[in-house]
Amino acid sequence: VYTQQELLPCKSLPETLLFQLLGLSIATLSTVTHYGLRFTLISNVSLDSNAYRVIHHTAFYFGICLSMSLILAALLSSAAMVRESQCLTAMGFFCFALAFCGLIPAACWRYTHSTEVEDSMMDVYDFVYEEVRRNTSSFRRHELTAIHEAFQCCGKHSPFGDTTNVENKTCPSSQVHDEGQDCLEEIQDFLKKHMDFVFSFLGIAIGFTVYGMILTSFLWFSIHFSSNLYRKGKYILR
């Protein structure tokens, strides 16, 4: 009796869903960071000489590319399992490796430049505040008011005696009467918490990426050394 050899069983990989969710989470975090009110305000106000605008845009595009790599790697791994394709498995491994090669430098940059984002953002606020204090630009006064409202803070500690006038014109009324939070401290605290969360997220992504490379490697060797791969679609005599 001749029977057709069965294909390799099509097993669903729950891990692929996790990789897709991770990719979507990274894309969401990048989008929220890029288009968030506080980040957008500072980016629009910053000068070309300030590093914040470059960091702001670079982080967004890096996050989108990283999320696309993880989602594509998950889809290729699923297709490789279904079709028993070594080529698709290798492509999935390449996508995981590409994401890994991007995550490691990003994590190292955050570790070696731990305060660069915070410092550049506070430099932007310092510039706008001093412009308003010198009354050189009425447009800057509107920008400073928007920053105060977004961060719910009021002015900064300064040795100059005319800072109260600036605060009365640009701070929310509730912050002026209640002696609101110093803006430099508020910006620093806000960014520190956000960047710590991003750094933790990078660590999780690195762990999942390494796991994905191991998983696709195991899948490639399983397909390569499986006898069913060479007997697929052939008829044998029992």
Side-chain angles (χ1 to χ4, degrees):
V1 179
Y2 289 90
T3 60
Q4 189 175 23
Q5 185 68 26
E6 294 181 355
L7 300 176
L8 284 173
C10 297
K11 298 180 180 179
S12 61
L13 289 176
E15 292 84 355
T16 58
L17 180 60
L18 293 177
F19 290 123
Q20 292 178 18
L21 291 176
L22 179 63
L24 291 175
S25 300
I26 293 175
T28 302
L29 178 62
S30 302
T31 304
V32 170
T33 301
H34 187 264
Y35 294 103
L37 176 61
R38 297 180 176 183
F39 298 102
T40 304
L41 276 175
I42 300 297
S43 178
N44 293 336
V45 173
S46 64
L47 300 176
D48 294 335
S49 58
N50 190 281
Y52 178 77
R53 184 175 296 179
V54 176
I55 297 174
H56 182 74
H57 292 292
T58 302
F60 172 71
Y61 293 117
F62 171 79
I64 295 300
C65 293
L66 176 62
S67 64
M68 292 175 61
S69 298
L70 290 175
I71 294 174
L72 181 60
L75 293 177
L76 289 172
S77 299
S78 299
M81 173 67 76
V82 173
R83 302 185 62 179
E84 306 170 21
S85 172
Q86 290 179 270
C87 180
L88 292 177
T89 306
M91 292 173 63
F93 177 86
F94 174 77
C95 289
F96 280 121
L98 187 65
F100 179 79
C101 292
L103 284 168
I104 293 299
C108 292
W109 183 90
R110 173 54 187 168
Y111 181 78
T112 56
H113 300 75
S114 58
T115 61
E116 183 169 342
V117 180
E118 293 91 332
D119 292 342
S120 61
M121 203 169 189
M122 289 189 292
D123 287 342
V124 173
Y125 178 81
D126 267 331
F127 167 76
V128 177
Y129 186 90
E130 293 303 321
E131 287 287 307
V132 175
R133 189 183 64 81
R134 290 192 295 262
N135 295 321
T136 58
S137 174
S138 60
F139 180 72
R140 294 297 182 186
R141 187 177 298 111
H142 294 292
E143 293 177 340
L144 185 62
T145 301
I147 294 174
H148 286 164
E149 291 178 353
F151 285 92
Q152 288 298 302
C153 59
C154 184
K156 64 175 185 176
H157 299 299
S158 174
F160 298 100
D162 56 348
T163 54
T164 303
N165 188 36
V166 175
E167 295 168 358
N168 288 333
K169 292 181 179 179
T170 59
C171 292
S173 57
S174 60
Q175 295 289 326
V176 174
H177 297 306
D178 299 336
E179 298 183 356
Q181 176 73 25
D182 179 88
C183 279
L184 292 179
E185 295 180 0
E186 185 67 22
I187 291 173
Q188 186 178 28
D189 292 342
F190 167 75
L191 269 181
K192 187 177 184 303
K193 293 177 182 177
H194 184 81
M195 295 305 295
D196 287 344
F197 175 76
V198 171
F199 188 71
S200 301
F201 207 79
L202 284 176
I204 295 173
I206 290 174
F208 272 93
T209 303
V210 172
Y211 176 70
M213 289 191 292
I214 296 174
L215 185 66
T216 50
S217 299
F218 177 78
L219 179 61
W220 189 91
F221 282 107
S222 297
I223 295 174
H224 181 72
F225 292 109
S226 175
S227 59
N228 288 333
L229 180 64
Y230 303 101
R231 300 166 62 184
K232 181 173 59 177
K234 295 183 179 180
Y235 289 88
I236 59 174
L237 177 62
R238 288 185 176 178

